[in-house]
Amino acid sequence: MKLRLTRRQVLTGATLAAAAGGVAGRLSALEGVALGPRTGQTGGDTLVVIFLRGGADGLNIVVPYGDADYYRLRPSLGIPGPKDRSATAAGRCLELSDFFGLHPALAPLVPLYQEGKLAAVHAIGSGDQTRSHFEAMATMERGLARDSGAANGWLARHLTVTGSALDSPLRAVSITETVPDSLRGAPNVAAMLSLDEFRLTAPNVLPTGSGNKVFHRVQKQAAQANSPTRADAIAATLRGMYGGTATEETKVLTGAGAETLKALDAVKRLDPNHYKAEFGVTYPKSEMANGLKQVACLLKGDVGLEIACLDLGGWDTHVAQGREAGWQAGRLGELAQGLGAFTKDLGPRLERTTIMVMTEFGRRAAENSGLGTDHGRASCMFLIGGGVKGGKVYANWPGLGPTQLEGPGDLHVTTDYRDVLAEIVTRRLKNTDLDAVFPEYTPHYHDIFRAV
Amino acid sequence: MASNTEFIAEAVPASDLPTAPPSVPGRAVAAVAVGAIALSAVGCGEVRKQAQKVTGPLPATYTALPQNVVAVASALHVLNRVGFGPKPGDVAHVVEVGPAAWIEEQLAYRLEERSTVFPGMPGSTKTVEIDQVEEDPTVDWRVNALETQQMEQDAPENLYCTDYDQIQHEMAQAALLRAIYSRRQLREQMADFWTNHFNIFSLKNDGRALLPVDTARVLRPHVLGRFHDMLTASAKSPAMLAYLDNNQNQKRDPRTGGGANENYARELLELHTLGVKSGYTMKDIQAVARCFTGWTVTGGFKRGQLDYEAGRHDDGMKYIPFLNLTIMPKGGQKDADRVLETLSAHPATARFLVQKLCRRFLGEVPPEVAAKAESAYLRSGGDIRKTLRPILLDSDALLKPAGCKPILKRPLDMLVSANRALAADTDGGEDLQRHLVQMGQPLYEWPMPDGFPEKAAAWTGSLLPRWNFAMAFASNAVPGTHVDLNAPLAAAKARTEAEQLDALMEAVLARPAGSEEVKPIKAQVAGHMQLARAAGLPEATVLAEAAGLLLASPTFQWK
């Protein structure tokens, strides 16, 4: 069924068909919709996790142009260094340090790097040796060294230990078709392709045996039943029901019902279909940008959002990966333009937002005969936000020499991905129970984040 | 007492049953036989679809609730906890026979000799316990008509070559059809209980190819039987072996350093038997894991079957301190059996299971009830029926009016009880299941071995999907599921608006519409209906909104 093919669809880039919300219309009044602090909230950042599905080629994203082996291994795909006069200016990577450069399609991220709000981590990955998308993603999303297949996600564990019954129903939102493994095991998670789906649906009773004759009447009735008026009327009655007296035991439900109704009200007032970005930002027309726009809408609505998950597919570049232009450059462009718009639109809210871009594994150091790259090990990660000690590439660089590569010729994993996740959990999400989130693992901090 | 007294012939919704409507079981059999012959020329999927149509649910009659408010509340309480809530007529029936007698009826069984089909052993028989309550025959017909359920019976290895999503849907479909329509309500509650107790995440590896066998042969035969039988079946279930990695559990290899996989042993002690607080240590887990080395699942031509590889078994001596159990060397396959036997009979297991059962049925663990149930478990050698008796029949617990803590219905409970309350005609198919997914309880998809959470706080964040299900369900906007809101109105001969609401309330909430408890909700829904009518909404929509609101009300979420 469609619900369960998602993982495969993500890999083939066939999902996230989020209806593009029009940007026309007036910004709704935001005042008065805030839900106020909730007991379970940690008081930490809102975390936005973007998962690049398919194994993104970190070596061509954060380019180790200072490593001569890189060009030896990638005679066709290697991206020239920032000062390489033999290449066109548009074909060179963008200087991050005297060793690393950024893929030119990621130009929209350069200002964030310069402002110190973006950091990259390189040669990062998990202990998974299978080089299987499914295994590697399962491992990483569960936050384990190797996947036993029987655990909840790392974000689910974080939400569980910091949660309470009166948490916002929009505390964890996944802008995906189904709940990702990182959130699996936390039942109170909303998965939606569009914020528009977070609404009450009024009954729509169709006359039976109508055939075509009453088609127009049916349409009219459907419109009437689904009109905001009916949903409002139902919400009003529910408000009455859930606002009634409750006992000590049943108020857990009535309280949650009242919160849900408030969140519904807030989202309605946010009017996601007519969301207008601030600071002169126009979101590009892409799935990534549209997803991030939904997140911005939730953030600005103060609906109690703590975790947002988004997917971007199309990274499984076995053939015709492209260099400064081409397939991968297109995916990077969508990511960077979306993030550029999103971070600018957040304005001062970026100070209390942490954005993480991750992938299940990197790709083979040497290019293949199809001008692509095969499944590998370490890749890179981006961290963006006010709490990031940015303007820096964090890497214990393992090198790309013949003896330095891992397995069939892959970038060695020198930083465990959980080191970064754990630092986010403690320093930015203010969760003190790290053992619950990453059991049986003692993380080593790389001091990438300031404490909230 | 025959529970089919609630069924009558003439209340079949004609629109839903285009062929001769099954009225009483006898006639329904004939209808199916005719249908099967007539359909032999068409495709398999079509046969399945039509067979489901022909064998649709037996109709239920709405009857007025008895006048005795206390008796009604008590009957509802028992129906909600022991089963998945009342269907029309159930409350009146339980009031008539008495809650204790109804529970006794659900627990009662008779012994029957059944021939077993072991290869090379023709004619052998075994004694099986058959529930005294006669099953609604349409339940088994509809479940057996599902392609992958049929495959499970005929050639389980073929499940590997089947669309895994289809297996998943039909597994959930079977569970829903049984929970909604089975007359053996306690059996279905217990099936859900044990499915969670021995939880398996179907999406791990080939879990979906193995799960149908686990459900049909490991859990369902034992849900009211002996715990030791179920535990042994579970330990040797290919689905469990694969889920908790025991298929990789082997003796330590000095060359590779690889060795015992402790995953199954850990969960066996923590979740299946002793409970994490019983006091065992890592030493116990490691010793138990060694006893289970060599138990694995076959691959190749006859894949997916239980296999014991003697060469992988650690045949040394083991000592399990917590159980004070010494396993002598060269025990081979018997090592695991010794462990399971000892665990099943252990007082810590009795305590752990009883506490879980108490929370399930009573919402709390009353010490006296638990003590009685523990001693019943230990005295009877882990007989589940005998263990349940003190929990279900104690006069100070379930049978005491307003005697127990409220339990928030989990999504499965909520969805099934809604289908039962309004006597829905449902195929239990994908469209109904999608609501369950949205409410946060996709069946067989809980990743961890502990099963879907019990506590209310785990479920209160997904109320919007519940409300949207209530509205869609009441307005027949869930394809494959149909309710007739006019039926309870007609049965109550409701003419005025007030009488209509009363009839809907008694059908959905199964409480007298005049009772104090539901007064506030009645006022809310009455006001809503008035405004809806004033807004010019069609009558059917007004009724659907009212029924939807009652299903979405706080009262309906508790049991």
Side-chain angles (χ1 to χ4, degrees), chain B residues 370-391:
Chain B
K372 278 186 222 160
E374 275 172 45
S375 92
Y377 177 93
L378 293 170
R379 268 205 320 272
S380 67
D383 183 310
I384 296 165
R385 282 193 180 90
K386 292 204 168 85
T387 310
L388 280 172
R389 294 186 68 85
I391 299 171

Side-chain angles (χ1 to χ4, degrees), chain A residues 1 4 148 201 230 237 242, chain B residues 169 204 445 468 528 545 552:
Chain A
M1 127 178 134
R4 246 168 246 102
S148 74
T201 313
R230 288 325 299 158
T237 306
Y242 280 80
Chain B
H169 288 141
K204 177 176 173 179
E445 286 184 38
N468 280 336
H528 185 94
E545 286 192 4

Side-chain angles (χ1 to χ4, degrees), chain A residues 10-344:
Chain A
V10 166
L11 288 171
T12 56
T15 191
L16 272 177
V23 287
R26 223 175 51 75
L27 178 66
S28 324
L30 291 179
E31 55 271 15
V33 299
L35 300 183
R38 246 163 302 280
T39 46
Q41 262 183 309
T42 59
D45 281 5
T46 298
L47 175 64
V48 181
V49 180
I50 299 172
F51 206 108
L52 309 182
R53 307 258 173 208
D57 179 27
L59 288 171
N60 270 22
I61 296 173
V62 175
V63 180
Y65 72 87
D67 192 326
D69 283 319
Y70 169 72
Y71 295 103
R72 179 178 59 77
L73 292 163
R74 298 197 165 185
S76 306
L77 291 186
I79 296 172
K83 297 186 181 78
D84 187 343
R85 298 283 165 200
S86 67
T88 61
R92 302 173 202 151
C93 63
L94 311 163
E95 186 170 346
L96 295 177
S97 70
D98 55 9
F99 189 85
F100 291 111
L102 205 57
H103 189 288
L106 294 173
L109 301 182
V110 170
L112 289 164
Y113 187 80
Q114 287 164 346
E115 290 163 33
K117 289 186 173 140
L118 182 148
V121 186
H122 219 319
I124 188 167
S126 75
D128 182 85
Q129 294 283 351
T130 63
R131 294 169 176 78
S132 140
H133 295 294
F134 308 98
E135 294 284 322
M137 280 192 269
T139 296
M140 215 171 237
E141 297 195 74
R142 295 194 168 99
L144 305 169
R146 279 188 308 109
D147 173 35
S148 74
N152 46 4
W154 72 278
L155 289 169
R157 291 194 293 273
H158 163 71
L159 289 166
T160 304
V161 294
T162 55
S164 82
L166 291 184
D167 284 328
S168 163
L170 290 168
R171 186 179 180 219
V173 171
S174 183
I175 312 288
T176 50
E177 219 173 296
T178 53
V179 173
D181 276 351
S182 56
L183 287 169
R184 203 186 269 278
N188 293 342
V189 171
M192 55 186 92
L193 286 178
S194 158
L195 200 44
D196 199 32
E197 291 170 28
F198 192 82
R199 64 185 168 94
L200 261 176
T201 313
N204 175 15
V205 181
L206 299 179
T208 47
S210 53
N212 281 333
K213 270 182 276 183
V214 292
F215 178 76
H216 292 290
R217 188 155 58 82
V218 171
Q219 288 288 301
K220 206 170 145 191
Q221 273 190 350
Q224 184 187 21
N226 274 324
S227 73
T229 339
R230 288 325 299 158
D232 285 351
I234 287 164
T237 306
L238 285 170
R239 195 166 288 119
M241 285 179 169
Y242 280 80
T245 50
T247 66
E248 195 56 39
E249 280 144 352
T250 59
K251 73 181 183 192
V252 58
L253 178 72
T254 46
E259 289 295 321
T260 303
L261 288 160
K262 271 196 246 172
L264 272 171
D265 200 30
V267 169
K268 197 182 139 212
R269 288 209 222 175
L270 289 166
D271 196 4
N273 283 339
H274 299 115
Y275 172 75
K276 192 159 173 287
E278 292 175 278
F279 307 104
V281 169
T282 305
Y283 279 89
K285 290 216 179 302
S286 70
E287 287 165 3
M288 182 85 272
N290 192 62
L292 287 169
K293 194 165 65 176
Q294 317 274 339
V295 177
C297 186
L298 284 171
L299 266 167
K300 293 186 187 185
D302 289 322
V303 293
L305 180 72
E306 291 177 48
I307 309 279
C309 288
L310 299 98
D311 284 346
L312 187 58
W315 302 94
D316 199 14
T317 50
H318 286 280
V319 290
Q321 177 173 328
R323 199 171 60 173
E324 75 275 7
W327 177 263
Q328 193 207 25
R331 307 310 292 150
L332 288 170
E334 179 173 343
L335 174 68
Q337 287 158 24
L339 280 172
F342 177 62
T343 48
K344 201 173 168 200

